[in-house]
């Protein structure tokens, strides 16, 4: 019945600039990939990078209906390429985090009664009460953030409950702004989804609940009991509990696919729709993170995902419910000064060559003979500081370092910062810890050696550019196999293996543990 006989799982990613899909077979081998890019493929929406930046430069939205139209286009491309939809037994997906979709009164009826001879965007175009969805790049809600923190009892109290202090892009503050600025449209809203649960709802033909992992990015969910925090809901807008619906574990099986997709594309009517989640949680699944692991993405900016058992929410970073094990947590830390800052040092002291940069790094000693530098080209998120600072082994501020010292200083301070802020959120270096490195700089072994020594863990690399899609396909399989009845690690046993890049050296690690105290002091000084 299923063509090649093998079952397929689909993982979608509704991200800022595009929607993507991968199909994996039962051995988790990727057998199909397709993409629709919003700017290029749907120019009628006039987006740049998939978004509209408004005149105030703070408000950033995307047309909700563009995402709907993109979905039919993506599936049409798959169909045209001969993709066998009837072999898909389950699908799941990821969405850019924090973005929200406002469904107008009557939308559920339309979803429940989709006509397969008419495209989705034609049927749904009048059913979004706020046609432009606020997205994660929006930073126009400072007033709403201040109000929420005040009502809950301060930023740390809010972080203790919801995993994060108030952030402009977090959905509760975005909803508060909509309610205050467009009360009549808010009134006409029968349901509010995240981008993730919105996409899942299109597939299911009914509202799919928000999952606890993406729900953690709203400033309104209690990350400990996975319920809405009523006080936070009330602080944001009235009747929110009704409009948001219940929360579910990320492996929740919503039900089967809408007949629209069966009739139009040839899906099996039994194809299961598993709750969608945020792109960062989905990436954690795609990288197959386990207890004790840290994933470090060394891209334009650097991002850390931590698997946490006992979280310690702080005024920095975010703690989310874990998407593959509802009894655990994950933390997310973003550092704006990543590759571009390393590049600036490379250009100033290593002739613009990564090879020279690596030689200089290898020619200097762990601990940099007591020299420490902090390099924030642009305003850093964690910690909130900017500028370049250097201290010699006597703790005296100095204006410059020789080339080798400069190269080592930028790499060491970046990884000391990652360890410090990971520990601030509850991360403990354990004997079974692993570091999984991805992104552009993960090809640089001397850089990875510093990372390994700092965290006292072997560093593995994973060659993936679409871990959110892959993670969604894996989660589809997990959800279909019963979610909490089967360990995620068992489901992803045959996922592509990591490559061991470097192992930690105890002597260097001890040097870094001492150095961390000094680094911490300097960081506090410059904030
Ligand atoms: P993005 O965040 O855009 O996905 P990538 O993960 O592709 O970025 O990483 C791109 C960055 O990788 C570049 O800015 C570059 O500085 C860095 N990079 C590429 N090769 C090396 C290397 N050999 N050593 C260190 N950094 C590198
Ligand atoms: C996470 C965040 C971004 C978006 C990007 O807090 O805002 O990573 O999820 O898609």
């Amino acid at each position: 019945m299923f063509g090649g006989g093998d079952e397929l799982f689909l993982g979608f990613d509704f991200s800022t600039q595009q929607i993507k899909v991968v199909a994996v077979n039962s051995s988790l081998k990727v057998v199909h990939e397709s993409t629709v890019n919003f700017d290029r493929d749907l120019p009628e929406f006039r987006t740049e990078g998939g978004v509209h930046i408004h005149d105030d430069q703070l408000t950033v939205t995307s047309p909700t209906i563009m995402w709907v139209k993109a979905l039919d286009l993506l599936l049409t491309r798959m169909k045209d390429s001969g993709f066998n939809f009837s072999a898909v037994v389950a699908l799941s997906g990821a969405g850019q985090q924090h973005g929200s979709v406002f469904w107008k009164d009557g939308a559920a009826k339309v979803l429940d009664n989709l006509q397969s001879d008419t495209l989705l965007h034609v049927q749904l175009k009048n059913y979004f009460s706020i046609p432009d969805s606020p997205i994660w790049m929006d930073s126009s809600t400072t007033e709403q953030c201040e109000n929420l923190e005040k009502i809950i009892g301060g930023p740390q109290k809010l972080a203790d409950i919801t995993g994060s202090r108030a952030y402009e892009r977090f959905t509760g503050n975005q909803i508060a702004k909509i309610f205050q600025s467009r009360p009549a449209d808010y009134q006409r809203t029968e349901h509010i989804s995240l981008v993730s649960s919105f996409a899942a709802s299109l597939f299911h033909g009914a509202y799919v609940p928000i999952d606890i992992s993406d729900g953690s990015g709203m400033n309104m969910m209690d990350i400990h009991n996975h319920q809405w925090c009523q006080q936070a809901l009330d602080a944001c807008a009235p009747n929110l509990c009704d409009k948001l619906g219940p929360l579910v574990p990320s492996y929740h099986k919503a039900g089967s696919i809408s007949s629209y997709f069966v009739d139009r594309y040839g899906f099996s009517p039994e194809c299961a729709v598993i709750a969608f989640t945020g792109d960062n949680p989905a990436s954690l699944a795609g990288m197959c993170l386990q207890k004790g692991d840290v994933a470090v993405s060394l891209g334009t900016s650097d991002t850390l995902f931590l698997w946490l058992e006992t979280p310690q929410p702080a005024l920095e970073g975010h703690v989310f419910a874990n998407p593959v094990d509802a009894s655990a947590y994950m933390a997310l830390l973003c550092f704006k000064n990543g590759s571009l800052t390393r590049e600036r040092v490379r250009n100033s002291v290593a002739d613009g060559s990564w090879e020279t940069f690596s030689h200089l790094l290898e020619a200097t000693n762990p601990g940099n003979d007591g020299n420490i530098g902090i390099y924030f080209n642009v305003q850093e998120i964690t910690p909130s500081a900017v500028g370049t600072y250097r201290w010699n082994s006597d703790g005296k501020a100095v204006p410059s370092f020789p080339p080798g010292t400069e190269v080592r200083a930028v790499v060491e301070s970046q990884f000391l910062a990652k360890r410090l802020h990971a520990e601030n959120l509850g991360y403990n270096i354990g004997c079974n810890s692993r570091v999984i490195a991805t992104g552009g700089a993960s090809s640089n072994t001397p850089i990875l050696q510093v990372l390994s020594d700092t965290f006292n863990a072997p560093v593995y690399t994973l060659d993936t550019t679409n871990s959110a899609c892959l993670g969604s396909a894996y989660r589809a399989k997990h959800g279909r196999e019963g979610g909490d009845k089967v360990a995620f690690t068992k489901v992803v046993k045959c996922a592509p293996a990591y490559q061991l890049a470097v192992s930690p050296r105890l002597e260097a690690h001890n040097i870094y543990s001492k150095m961390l105290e000094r680094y911490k002091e300097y960081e506090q000084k410059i904030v």
Side-chain angles (χ1 to χ4, degrees), residues 387-469:
T388 300
Y389 309 85
R390 300 176 185 85
W391 296 269
N392 67 15
S393 55
D394 299 326
K396 197 166 156 263
V398 292
S400 64
F401 284 148
T405 310
E406 182 86 338
V407 162
R408 181 160 282 278
V410 68
V411 177
E412 287 187 341
S413 65
Q414 287 188 334
F415 292 138
L416 286 169
K418 289 180 178 57
R419 179 168 152 197
L420 172 68
H421 295 288
E423 289 182 348
N424 284 352
L425 285 171
Y427 177 77
N428 286 311
I429 293 199
C431 49
N432 293 321
S433 299
R434 304 180 302 175
V435 175
I436 321 298
T438 62
S442 68
S443 63
N444 189 316
T445 311
I447 290 182
L448 297 186
Q449 186 65 57
V450 179
L451 174 61
S452 178
D453 293 338
T454 310
F455 279 85
N456 198 28
V459 174
Y460 296 84
T461 53
L462 185 65
D463 188 16
T464 171
T465 48
N466 56 1
S467 49
C469 273

Side-chain angles (χ1 to χ4, degrees), residues 7-314:
E7 296 179 333
L8 298 181
F9 301 87
L10 290 183
F12 291 85
D13 182 15
F14 283 66
S15 71
T16 314
Q17 306 198 32
Q18 60 209 340
I19 54 173
K20 285 190 273 185
V21 63
V22 303
V24 304
N25 63 17
S26 54
S27 326
L28 304 187
K29 189 169 166 285
V30 174
V31 296
H32 180 93
E33 288 181 71
S34 286
T35 303
V36 166
N37 178 285
F38 302 134
D39 296 359
R40 207 173 42 236
D41 297 323
L42 296 166
E44 63 271 34
F45 293 101
R46 298 168 187 271
T47 55
E48 275 181 48
V51 310
H52 293 144
I53 301 179
H54 295 226
D55 288 343
D56 64 359
Q57 300 297 315
L58 299 173
T59 305
V60 184
T61 59
S62 292
T64 313
I65 203 73
M66 174 180 78
W67 297 330
V68 178
K69 199 169 179 184
L71 176 57
D72 268 318
L73 184 55
L74 183 74
L75 296 174
T76 303
R77 285 186 176 171
M78 293 174 79
K79 193 174 173 191
D80 291 347
S81 77
F83 182 78
N84 179 15
F85 285 100
S86 71
V88 179
V89 293
L91 64 85
S92 186
Q96 50 170 303
Q97 293 200 256
H98 320 296
S100 44
V101 169
F102 295 76
W103 303 86
K104 197 149 102 189
D105 284 336
K109 261 205 202 104
V110 178
L111 270 181
D112 183 40
N113 196 24
L114 290 171
Q115 302 299 305
S116 58
D117 58 356
T118 309
L119 287 165
L120 289 174
H121 75 96
V122 177
Q123 300 186 67
L124 286 167
K125 68 171 188 281
N126 295 323
Y127 286 94
F128 297 108
S129 48
I130 305 289
D132 292 300
S133 283
I135 66 149
W136 66 279
M137 292 163 79
D138 185 284
S139 54
S140 66
T141 63
T142 305
E143 201 186 307
Q144 286 76 14
C145 288
E146 283 166 4
N147 179 55
L148 178 60
E149 286 182 347
K150 203 168 117 209
I151 289 179
I152 298 293
Q156 185 60 51
K157 184 83 193 296
L158 183 65
D160 288 341
I161 300 168
T162 70
S164 301
R165 66 173 302 173
Y167 285 91
E168 278 77 0
R169 67 188 192 288
F170 276 46
T171 325
N173 308 305
Q174 293 292 336
I175 294 173
K177 180 183 155 195
I178 297 278
F179 164 66
Q180 289 158 22
S181 58
R182 303 177 64 167
D185 293 326
Y186 180 81
Q187 198 70 39
R188 277 194 287 274
T189 302
E190 69 175 27
H191 192 80
I192 301 173
S193 295
L194 292 178
V195 177
S196 56
S197 60
F198 147 80
S201 304
L202 294 178
F203 280 108
H204 184 39
Y207 296 136
V208 172
I210 291 173
D211 79 292
I212 55 173
S213 207
D214 209 13
S216 309
M218 302 175 78
N219 271 153
M220 297 188 295
M221 189 193 94
D222 184 328
I223 57 162
H224 308 285
N225 64 14
H226 304 153
Q227 303 293 321
W228 296 119
C229 166
Q230 191 60 47
Q231 208 188 355
L233 294 181
D234 293 342
C236 292
N239 306 323
L240 258 186
C241 206
D242 289 345
K243 292 191 201 285
L244 292 168
L247 288 151
V248 292
S250 309
Y251 36 69
H252 169 77
K253 190 165 155 185
S256 54
I257 196 163
S258 154
S259 61
Y260 175 87
F261 299 93
V262 176
D263 297 343
R264 196 172 180 102
Y265 298 104
F267 275 94
S268 151
E270 272 97 62
C271 172
V273 177
I274 308 302
F276 284 30
T277 190
D279 52 0
N280 293 300
S283 287
L284 174 131
M287 293 191 216
C288 303
L289 244 60
Q290 296 173 19
K291 186 174 163 180
D293 288 350
V294 184
V296 182
S297 160
L298 302 169
T300 305
S301 49
D302 290 349
T303 307
L304 234 69
F305 299 142
L306 309 166
W307 181 291
L308 289 180
E309 299 285 310
T310 320
Q312 230 170 257

